[in-house]
């Protein structure tokens, strides 16, 4: 027999306990592990919601609740705008086996009228809502994660082979501020792998070319150009304003300087390096895992390591490693997944063998060890050589 809306509501009221806004506030204050479900539409949620509430619009309730609240015994408080939608939602939850569900009388309007505190999320522009819509669908990103990406300040060392894909993907993902350190100009021989740059920009500073490409992709990205050579004199000053450092440099003096500066400032260093057909990447998070010097305490002697120009590199390889660096950076910003801290991923592209090695922090490390011997930044001499090392870690190429 068909039921009227009034009958449905009466039934729901008989089955679902209701709680006043004061009761809800008191419960949230004293109980742990209560799932607070906001069943309003996304737009309503964004304009203001109870602190700690999970957004689960009524239309997605049945589809998503089991991933949002996996344990059926979890106490749930559901609320909506005025108390009607949440009552019907709570009844559905009971039918799905959630035993301990209440609906908040009067909804968010009553909460606000009572002068109780609430949170307003970041307001996205209509363009941002569309641009990042595929991120919003992922629970690991969502609107809170996207807000973190937009607020993130990331420094890239080098706008070369590694820095190109990293910068493109970080900008596309919505990272708000990208600092780029590179003192070089675009050269024809770079274009085989450095996909930020184009033929018509040969001779242009790489940081300027990078800015043009990134702003064309996403007009509101803030690109901070540091068109200077990194040295012990400017590293601390440049690094201090950024959250995460991405090392895509092509030489040992810079690699050691980046490592040491990151340890001194306690900033994560997302490392990548390539050699001919081999690449590797890791995350050096000071004191949470090893640093680069835990693996290689001192640079190789001058003449022992070839540069990119001398050793050659397959054009697509930095793309692979740079994408891993972009991915690890995004995971660090979001706090999602398991970062490559204490692990190094190696790619051999000719055999397409990938392996991940565990790395340990060395208590005797001269930089991050228990009794560090390096206490100030060092400018190593530029060195190049022709003898190929046996491990890509001992190379410098980007
Ligand atoms: Zn170390």
């Amino acid at each position: 027999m068909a039921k009227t809306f009034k009958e449905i509501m009466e039934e729901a009221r008989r089955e679902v306990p209701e709680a006043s806004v004061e009761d809800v506030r008191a419960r949230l204050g004293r109980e742990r592990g209560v799932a607070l479900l906001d069943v309003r539409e996304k737009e309503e949620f964004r304009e203001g919601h109870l602190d700690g509430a999970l957004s689960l619009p009524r239309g997605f309730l049945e589809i998503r609740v089991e991933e949002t609240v996996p344990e059926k015994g979890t106490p749930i408080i559901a609320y909506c705008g005025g108390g009607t939608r949440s009552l019907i939602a709570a009844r559905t939850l009971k039918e799905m086996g959630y035993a301990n569900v209440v609906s908040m009388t009067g909804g968010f309007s009553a909460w606000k009228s009572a002068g109780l505190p609430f949170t307003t999320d970041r307001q996205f522009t209509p363009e941002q809502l569309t641009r990042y819509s595929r991120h919003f669908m992922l629970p690991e990103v969502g609107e809170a994660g996207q807000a973190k990406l937009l607020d993130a300040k990331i420094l890239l060392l080098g706008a070369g082979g590694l820095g190109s894909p990293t910068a493109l993907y970080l900008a596309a993902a919505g990272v708000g501020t990208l600092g780029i350190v590179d003192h070089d100009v675009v050269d024809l021989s770079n274009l085989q792998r450095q996909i930020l740059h184009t033929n018509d920009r040969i001779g242009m500073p790489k940081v300027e070319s990078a800015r043009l490409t990134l702003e064309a992709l996403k007009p509101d990205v803030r690109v901070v150009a540091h068109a200077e050579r990194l040295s012990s004199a400017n590293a601390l000053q440049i690094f201090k304003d950024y959250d995460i450092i991405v090392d895509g440099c092509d030489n040992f003096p810079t690699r050691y300087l980046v490592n040491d500066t990151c340890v001194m400032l306690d900033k994560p260093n997302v490392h990548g390096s390539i050699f001919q057909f081999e690449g590797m990447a890791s995350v050096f998070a000071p004191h949470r895992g090893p640093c680069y010097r835990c693996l290689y305490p001192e640079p190789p002697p001058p003449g022992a390591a070839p540069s990119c120009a001398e050793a050659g590199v397959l054009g697509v390889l930095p793309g692979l490693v740079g994408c891993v660096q972009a991915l690890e950076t995004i995971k660090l910003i979001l706090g999602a997944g398991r970062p490559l801290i204490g692990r190094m991923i190696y790619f051999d592209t000719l055999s397409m063998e990938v392996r991940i090695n565990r790395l340990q922090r060395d208590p005797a490390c001269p930089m991050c060890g228990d009794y560090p011997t390096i206490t100030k930044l060092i400018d190593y001499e530029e060195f190049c050589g022709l003898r190929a090392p046996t491990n890509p870690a001992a190379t410098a190429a980007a």
Side-chain angles (χ1 to χ4, degrees), residues 8 29 35 71 137 139-140 144 178 260 289 291 295 297 305 310 334 354 360 365 370 384:
I8 290 173
E71 187 49 58
M137 292 170 188
E140 292 79 0
L178 280 174
D260 297 355
C291 79
L295 316 180
E310 293 150 342
L334 297 175
V354 180
Q360 298 284 340
C365 171
D370 298 339
C384 284

Side-chain angles (χ1 to χ4, degrees), residues 34-74:
V34 179
L36 186 59
L37 286 191
D38 186 319
V39 300
R40 298 174 301 160
E41 298 303 313
K42 281 281 179 196
E43 298 72 41
E44 300 173 271
F45 182 84
R46 226 172 263 133
E47 284 168 19
H49 57 81
L50 271 65
D51 196 24
L54 304 163
S55 172
L56 195 56
R58 179 65 193 90
F60 294 96
L61 186 73
E62 292 90 334
I63 304 166
R64 297 227 181 114
V65 70
E66 282 163 330
E67 63 185 76
T68 312
V69 187
E71 187 49 58
K72 299 249 161 139
T74 307

Side-chain angles (χ1 to χ4, degrees), residues 2-3 44 55 96 110 125-126 129 142 147 171 187 191 211 218 232 243 250 294-295 297 327 337 354 363 367 391:
K3 293 173 190 165
E44 300 173 271
S55 172
M96 291 179 75
T125 64
L129 289 173
D187 185 87
L191 300 183
R211 185 206 300 278
K218 181 176 175 290
S232 64
D243 310 318
D250 63 352
C294 290
L295 316 180
L327 188 60
V354 180
M367 193 65 218
N391 185 321

